[in-house]
């Protein structure tokens, strides 16, 4: 184990960082019109009252109320225009010496006089000075964050510029020998031997959204370059992020520089992802040494840089939590706090958290997650159905507008997702690839709206219905046909290992890539092996499982394997050769309680549309002649 | 009544606007690094897999696993360096032909060979191609709003640019003959006869925050100028806001232009504030005719332009609601939906909504409000203690961190507010000026944490305690002394009406400005009138009530009145002459349940600080010798 894997907890680390943080006080004088979201560094007092003068509140005549006191119905009083009765409109200043306005509708008039039959009350129809704010009023206290409404308050009181805290400056240094910038060296994207720097773009965007003034430097490819960049920006920066290029090896590099130029506070925390995080100071400027794996980088930013920002400017950290149920048991190591990314599914008034893949390298798992569940250091994970607090990453409304689909993978799923969004941009179709059996079990547990499946029954030789009747006997559901599709053996273009039939997969020198247990494809493959009398142990790679058709496709394309069982459309996508084995039914199981849901109505409308059929057929290997047919209704 | 006061409801108006809105489809091709918050106009598929090559997951040697199969503890196998065993580090691409990595810790080595005593498994310590995403994967569907995390997902899959919806373009035309721009004609700010345009800045800021590309035009001072501006921008804009400069008169002006150049859909809605709102189309571009009073302008923007924006780009309107209790009866007219601004106070686990002043001209009432309560068209307001839904304008956390103070007005309150924020920027002290008695009653009802008071008992001749014992007999509270302050008669500089004593206020030709019923100042004044035998009806202006000392001050300064009763510090602030009448006790009443609150601890620390005393004394007319003394504890 590396030395930096110390035992300092996340809480201790946060405390150490915040204790060494002082609120910034330097200010900027900015135009109020650009100040929304900025934080006042001083109290602001009204420069003028609003309104700043007495104004007429009506169209009519401004008069001296005393001169009208004797008017009554029988004895009208005449007032000379432009001297005793000055015409005014709504919003114009009240002429000097006048103290009331008579509405134009209430006077009789000729060219030179108005006649009134009622006295005017003092200040009637007059808008008072300072009705809204009074000169010298405290409009907004220092440390207040300016809203768009405050812009009106300030301008209306004669304040056009205000003193605000300057934005704290964060310098982000991406480091790594093989790292390339996706914009400056775009020709190297996807080429062997280069690693794309995307972390620094994610961190910059997060930091800017938060309120930092962000400077992203060029990539530092050596210890010396990191030193030089620190030196270059140290006077100007409020803090640095040094982000490792790739993996653990690189962080020691940051530690060395921090130790050499300043002081290391700690290296290593008992939080996962994020273990190798370090913090120190150089010339009294905080240095956040953020690990290279993208999930670790994001989580360290959220846990340490975000509270640091709020401490710098004195604002409030805001987090939204939701009480959720854990859909599947989450095991976790004692002694380490683990942050689990989860996808949330709302069904029958309950919200289930589906744990997403945990790898620290999987940026997709953050991008696709709805929230984070924390497994405390002193707990060995969460049990199935345990109720826990989930910290939201997405807005609550996203979860409401979502269709959850668990089970088998197919090319139709991305297509359906896009078509759902085209109909209603607020909705989304979220798919989790567990294989067919996983989908059926999720539906049984009630943690998904829909399941996708293609499981052949060995005895009846029909798809899906037998196993559904067995597993979902007690529930109400219906089975809807999506398409027939051709499944077979995919091999590298040109078929270099000469694979013609299922038996050839067991030939010496042939590397196979398998699908996971419980997937329809695996069930089919195992049936074929039994039928042909092929022993599993003879297949090189039988134990290597991949969770989707496209992952099997890419493994063959990239020569990790010579062959695998997948659908025709995937072979076509990756330009592989293909030996057909069977035509199977890819079907959708819908819980009856969801059938009435507006979201399902939209989805079913899409499934039965000509457009969907046409697009699906264009992938190749699909037969949509019965697409949308309700094959069975249970219960 | 004006013709435009039609009976179309807010809901009908919203429906008409949304029915005539089509989602925009034009796109822009932008850099992923700048795309956070933008909305994808097309689905995005991975360009490369991530990782795009097999990578070593460890520091060690890349080997062919087959060549290691016979290794065991007793019979190690030797592999030649740089041919059979190629040195690799974490993250470097796996050399061609190799399919496993042996960790450096597990080999014995010399200059040319490594020796191993265990076979390597196929693909051990190798990061697979496409572990995160696979080329061709649907990364994000069209209509998805890009997050900072998505930036990582996209870049890591080789996507550097994406197609996004262009931002809808909103053109805001401020109109009004007397309107001036606070930046272009800053020398006219506060001068007679000019009206500051701040609405267009508030609306611009709100619209930009929402996601519009905003163009604010110069001020249109005539019908022709509005026409010219519409013509100039019509080809380019997705919608217009025409914002009247001041009052009702101006809107007809917009109606005329819309009728002349296009089609008027409606003018006038049964919603308050916001009645004169109009909507139409010119050359098929929506025109929002937004009233000039700032509160009406903001509410019409929130009710009509915000949903319009979401319909244009297909995103979700988000509103946060909170269940609250109405602190005071809210009367409202039948037939009109009224939007009441409220301040929220959290006490003893309940949240009370205190209605704020309702005038449509009061921008401060929006800036200082926490939320909006809607009185439906068919309801005559809300009763005291009725439970209603409040639409939040501020974040929930603001309300939690707030001290509520109701009652008498004093110069110390702004000072305390700023000092509280200096200690803890997340806190705030919110004061409502109801006069002393209003504060005591609010404390009795439990809708405030603190009350401020200065009420003289006519018999005992002492301040505050007698009335508190009477009104708050059943409750637990303590009375804390803030300061003694001098109260008296304020008159215009030079005392032109020669006012020397209380009796002079009744002199002919003297205009008085009074304080509201229930204020300590009013109670004192009424006692003095009785003492001196002065009849109220002899005082010109006795009925004119103002709710604070500063409002009395500004009325005298602006010659609305000749004299009024106020405190010395206010007379000094407005440069008025002053005739002292009494020294009174300005005190704070604290509910005992709040005494233990951390927020009160901070406030009390400030009240008893030297800094507070010094600053308060510098206002003039304060005696702080006993500031902070606990005068009485009840219950």
């Amino acid at each position: 184990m590396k030395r930096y894997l110390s035992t300092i907890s996340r809480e201790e680390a946060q405390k150490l960082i915040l204790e060494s943080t002082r609120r910034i006080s330097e200010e900027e004088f900015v135009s109020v019109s650009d100040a929304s979201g900025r934080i006042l560094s001083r109290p602001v007092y009204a420069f003028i009252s609003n309104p700043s003068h007495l104004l007429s509140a009506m169209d009519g005549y401004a008069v001296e109320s005393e001169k009208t006191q004797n008017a009554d119905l029988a004895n009208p009083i005449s007032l000379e225009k432009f001297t005793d009765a000055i015409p005014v409109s709504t919003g114009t200043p009240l002429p000097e010496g006048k103290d009331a306005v008579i509405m134009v509708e209430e006077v009789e008039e000729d060219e030179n006089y108005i006649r009134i039959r009622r006295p005017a009350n003092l200040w009637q129809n007059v808008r008072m000075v300072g009705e809204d704010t009074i000169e010298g009023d405290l409009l907004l206290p220092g440390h207040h964050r300016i809203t768009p409404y405050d812009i009106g308050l300030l301008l209306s009181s004669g304040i056009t510029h205000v003193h605000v805290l300057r934005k704290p400056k964060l310098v982000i240094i991406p480091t790594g020998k093989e790292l390339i910038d996706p914009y400056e060296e775009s020709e190297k994207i996807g080429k062997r031997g280069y690693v794309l720097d995307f972390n620094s773009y994610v961190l910059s965007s997060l930091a800017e959204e938060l309120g930092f003034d962000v400077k992203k430097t060029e990539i530092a490819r050596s210890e010396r370059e990191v030193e030089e960049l620190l030196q270059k920006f140290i006077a100007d920066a409020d803090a640095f992020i040094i982000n490792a290029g790739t993996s653990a090896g690189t962080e020691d590099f940051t530690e060395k520089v921090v130790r050499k130029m300043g002081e290391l506070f700690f290296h290593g925390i008992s939080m996962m992802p994020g273990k190798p995080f370090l913090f120190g100071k150089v010339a009294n400027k905080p240095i956040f040494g953020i690990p290279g794996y993208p999930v670790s980088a994001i989580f360290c930013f959220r846990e340490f840089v975000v509270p640091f920002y709020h401490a710098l400017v004195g604002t409030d950290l805001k987090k939204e939590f939701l009480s959720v149920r854990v859909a599947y048991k989450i095991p976790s190591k004692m002694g380490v706090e683990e942050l689990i990314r989860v996808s949330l599914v709302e069904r029958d008034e309950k919200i289930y958290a589906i744990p997403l893949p945990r790898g620290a390298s999987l940026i997709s798992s953050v991008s696709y997650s709805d929230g984070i569940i924390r497994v405390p250091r002193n707990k060995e994970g969460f049990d199935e159905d345990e109720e826990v607090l989930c910290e939201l990453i997405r807005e609550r409304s996203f979860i409401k507008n979502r269709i959850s689909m668990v089970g088998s993978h197919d090319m139709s799923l991305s297509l359906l997702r896009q078509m759902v969004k085209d109909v209603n941009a607020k909705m989304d179709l979220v798919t989790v690839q567990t294989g067919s059996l996983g989908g059926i079990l999720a539906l049984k547990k009630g943690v998904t709206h829909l399941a996708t499946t293609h499981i052949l029954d060995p005895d009846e030789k029909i798809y899906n219905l037998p196993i559904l009747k067995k597993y979902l006997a007690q529930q109400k559901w219906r089975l809807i046909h999506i398409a027939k599709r051709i499944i077979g053996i995919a091999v590298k273009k040109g078929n270099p290992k000469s694979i013609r039939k299922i038996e050839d997969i067991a030939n010496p020198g042939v590397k196979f890539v398998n699908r996971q247990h419980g997937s329809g494809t695996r069930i089919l493959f195992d049936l074929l092996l039994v039928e042909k009398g092929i022993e599993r142990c003879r297949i090189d790679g039988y134990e290597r499982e991949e969770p989707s058709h496209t992952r099997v496709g890419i493994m063959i394309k990239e020569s990790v394997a010579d062959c695998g069982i997948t659908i025709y459309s995937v072979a076509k996508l990756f330009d592989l050769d293909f030996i057909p084995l069977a035509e199977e039914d890819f079907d959708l199981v819908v819980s009856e309680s969801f059938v009435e849901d507006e979201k399902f109505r939209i989805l079913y409308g899409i499934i039965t549309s000509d457009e969907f059929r046409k697009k699906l057929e264009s992938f190749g290997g699909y037969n949509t002649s019965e697409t949308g047919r309700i094959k069975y209704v249970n219960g």
Side-chain angles (χ1 to χ4, degrees), chain A:
Chain A
M1 287 308 250
K2 288 196 182 277
R3 189 192 42 68
Y4 64 72
L5 297 176
S6 63
T7 53
I8 179 170
S9 70
R10 192 242 320 149
E11 294 89 342
E12 285 172 285
Q14 285 170 335
K15 204 169 150 239
L16 274 172
I17 292 169
L18 294 187
E19 276 171 3
S20 77
T21 304
R22 226 166 303 149
R23 226 198 269 173
I24 60 166
S25 57
E26 297 92 332
E27 47 187 15
E28 266 170 29
F29 196 53
V30 302
S31 171
V32 165
S33 58
D34 302 324
S36 181
R38 301 298 296 269
I39 296 155
L40 286 171
S41 54
R42 308 182 185 188
V44 185
Y45 302 95
F47 178 63
I48 56 169
S49 300
N50 176 33
S52 54
H53 296 89
L54 298 171
L55 302 179
S56 172
M58 290 288 169
D59 294 351
Y61 292 90
V63 299
E64 269 174 88
S65 55
E66 249 185 42
K67 293 194 178 169
T68 69
Q69 293 315 306
N70 297 322
D72 68 30
L73 265 176
N75 304 296
I77 282 181
S78 283
L79 296 170
E80 194 184 4
K81 276 189 183 174
F82 304 104
T83 56
D84 289 332
I86 300 176
V88 287
S89 17
T90 309
T92 57
L94 195 70
E96 294 274 354
K98 303 296 185 261
D99 57 19
V101 170
I102 303 173
M103 282 165 71
V104 69
E105 293 90 334
E106 295 183 350
V107 304
E108 300 151 35
E109 59 182 316
D110 59 28
E111 206 176 320
N112 300 311
Y113 288 90
I114 65 162
R115 215 182 332 273
I116 55 167
R117 291 173 188 275
R118 258 207 314 176
N121 292 326
L122 182 65
W123 305 122
Q124 84 175 25
N125 299 325
V126 173
R127 272 188 71 198
M128 279 292 143
V129 173
E131 181 187 86
D132 198 359
T133 51
I134 300 171
E135 56 174 278
D137 270 358
L138 175 64
L139 293 177
L140 297 168
H143 310 297
H144 170 87
R145 189 188 280 274
I146 298 171
T147 69
Y149 308 124
D150 296 333
I151 291 177
L153 178 71
L154 293 165
L155 289 177
S156 68
S157 302
I159 307 290
T160 56
H161 293 77
V162 284
H163 287 91
V164 295
L165 290 185
R166 68 164 175 76
K167 290 187 172 192
K169 189 158 191 168
L170 179 69
V171 176
I172 299 177
I173 306 178
T175 72
K177 280 200 192 67
E178 325 78 359
L179 218 55
I180 57 156
D181 181 277
Y183 292 97
E184 280 169 24
E185 302 180 85
S186 59
E187 73 286 356
K188 293 180 182 161
I189 291 176
K191 296 279 193 311
R192 259 179 84 89
Y194 300 107
V195 177
L196 269 175
D197 168 34
F198 52 87
N199 274 348
S200 70
Y201 287 96
V202 175
L203 297 174
S204 295
S205 178
L206 288 169
E208 269 163 18
E209 211 176 80
L210 199 56
F212 274 114
D213 178 7
V214 178
K215 165 72 189 166
K216 192 171 100 58
T217 71
E218 65 259 35
I219 293 166
R221 295 205 166 78
S222 67
E223 202 175 307
R224 227 201 40 190
E225 285 178 17
V226 175
E227 275 187 52
E228 282 169 4
L229 286 167
L230 276 173
Q231 242 131 24
K232 183 172 169 187
F233 291 104
I234 198 85
D236 224 29
D238 293 296
F240 289 84
I241 285 179
I242 303 179
N243 183 230
T246 47
S247 62
T250 327
E251 274 98 39
D252 295 328
F253 188 90
T254 306
E255 178 181 328
K256 254 192 249 169
V257 175
V258 174
R259 277 188 190 280
K260 183 176 166 191
M261 297 178 68
E263 187 194 353
L264 182 74
F265 282 47
F266 58 84
H267 187 175
I269 49 167
S270 58
M271 176 183 101
M272 244 172 61
K275 267 188 173 176
F277 176 66
L278 76 78
F279 180 76
K281 282 196 170 184
V282 169
N284 210 27
K285 303 292 171 81
I287 316 281
F288 296 86
I290 284 192
Y293 273 131
V295 183
S296 313
I298 288 167
F299 281 12
C300 286
F301 186 91
R302 289 177 60 98
E303 296 297 323
F304 304 110
V305 185
V306 171
F308 167 73
Y309 171 82
H310 288 290
L312 273 181
V313 301
T315 48
D316 220 5
L317 189 70
K318 59 167 186 181
K319 289 185 173 186
E320 211 188 328
F321 292 93
L322 208 58
S323 179
V324 302
R325 271 158 199 272
V326 173
Y328 301 102
K329 185 178 169 65
I330 301 177
S332 180
K333 265 207 304 203
M334 283 283 279
V336 178
E337 177 186 48
E338 195 173 2
L339 279 61
I340 311 280
R341 289 139 271 170
V342 296
S343 176
L344 300 178
V345 176
E346 190 160 3
R347 222 200 101 171
D348 305 334
E349 320 258 296
K350 286 180 200 137
I351 298 172
Y352 290 95
I354 319 274
L356 293 171
R358 300 201 200 177
S361 63
L362 306 177
I363 176 76
S364 61
S365 66
V366 182
S367 204
Y368 299 154
S369 70
D370 298 316
I372 294 168
I373 285 177
R374 283 169 199 271
V375 185
R377 270 201 316 289
N378 58 359
K379 206 165 178 329
E380 279 193 300
F382 291 116
D383 283 332
E384 202 177 295
D385 262 338
E386 198 166 337
E387 209 155 326
V388 296
L389 271 191
C390 176
E391 185 181 326
L392 292 186
I393 290 182
R394 267 185 226 278
E395 282 162 32
R396 181 76 178 76
S397 61
F398 275 87
I399 299 153
K400 265 229 145 2
N401 291 325
R402 166 179 298 173
I403 304 174
S404 153
M405 197 185 254
V406 177
S408 177
H409 173 236
D410 186 65
M411 298 289 280
S412 57
L413 306 187
S414 294
L415 179 58
L416 284 174
R417 183 177 186 199
Q418 186 55 52
M419 290 180 77
V420 162
K421 269 223 164 292
D422 286 337
V423 173
N424 183 341
K426 295 167 196 171
M427 278 175 59
D428 204 353
L429 175 70
V430 174
T431 58
V432 179
Q433 289 150 24
T434 59
S436 298
L437 195 59
I440 295 168
L441 293 174
L443 206 68
K444 184 170 182 180
K445 276 172 66 79
V447 301
T448 180
H449 303 125
L450 308 169
T452 48
T453 177
H454 63 118
I455 296 181
L456 181 64
D457 184 79
D459 305 319
E460 297 190 41
K461 298 286 178 207
I462 61 168
Y463 275 91
N464 300 325
L465 211 46
I467 193 157
L468 288 170
K469 284 184 178 166
K470 182 173 153 202
Y471 278 89
L472 301 178
Q474 307 305 321
Q475 279 162 295
K476 293 184 176 187
W477 46 268
R478 61 181 64 186
L479 183 65
I480 293 168
H481 181 59
I482 294 197
K484 291 189 186 300
R485 59 181 197 182
I486 297 169
I487 195 159
I489 309 168
V491 297
K492 225 173 167 181
K493 189 82 184 168
N495 200 356
K497 299 281 167 101
S498 304
I499 293 160
R500 314 272 170 230
K501 52 188 189 305
I502 201 84
E503 292 88 334
D504 296 342
I505 291 175
N507 288 348
V510 172
K511 285 181 197 164
F512 180 70
V513 53
N514 209 346
R515 286 292 305 283
Q516 83 273 36
H517 193 81
S519 69
T521 305
R522 171 72 167 265
I523 291 169
L524 177 72
F525 183 57
D526 287 348
L527 282 177
L528 291 172
L529 291 183
V530 171
E531 229 175 77
K532 307 286 178 191
I534 306 163
E535 283 167 277
R536 291 170 184 187
C537 61
R538 283 178 50 213
I539 296 169
D540 184 11
Y542 183 86
E543 305 75 21
R544 165 143 212 99
E545 299 182 349
E546 292 290 343
S548 72
H549 289 296
T550 46
R551 287 192 59 88
V552 166
I554 192 86
M555 291 299 126
I556 299 166
K557 187 186 172 202
E558 295 292 329
S559 307
V560 171
D562 297 310
C563 61
I565 310 295
T566 189
I567 49 180
Y568 175 76
S569 54
V570 166
K572 188 180 160 200
L573 182 71
F574 291 108
D575 199 21
L576 306 174
D577 282 354
F578 187 77
I579 301 106
L581 292 174
E583 192 184 55
E584 57 177 15
D585 282 15
F586 186 75
D587 292 338
L588 186 68
V589 198
V590 191
S591 144
E592 277 295 295
S593 69
F594 192 61
V595 167
E596 294 303 309
D597 193 298
E598 168 70 8
K599 295 194 282 291
F600 181 73
R601 216 189 45 70
I602 289 173
L603 181 69
Y604 189 64
I606 292 166
I607 290 172
T608 51
S609 70
D610 283 346
E611 192 190 344
F612 172 66
R613 289 179 196 206
K614 264 182 222 156
K615 284 186 172 165
L616 188 56
E617 294 222 338
S618 76
F619 290 145
Y622 285 98
N623 173 346
T624 62
S625 59
E626 292 187 60
T627 292
R629 186 166 71 87
I630 297 166
K631 292 169 77 173
Y632 189 79
V633 179
N634 196 63

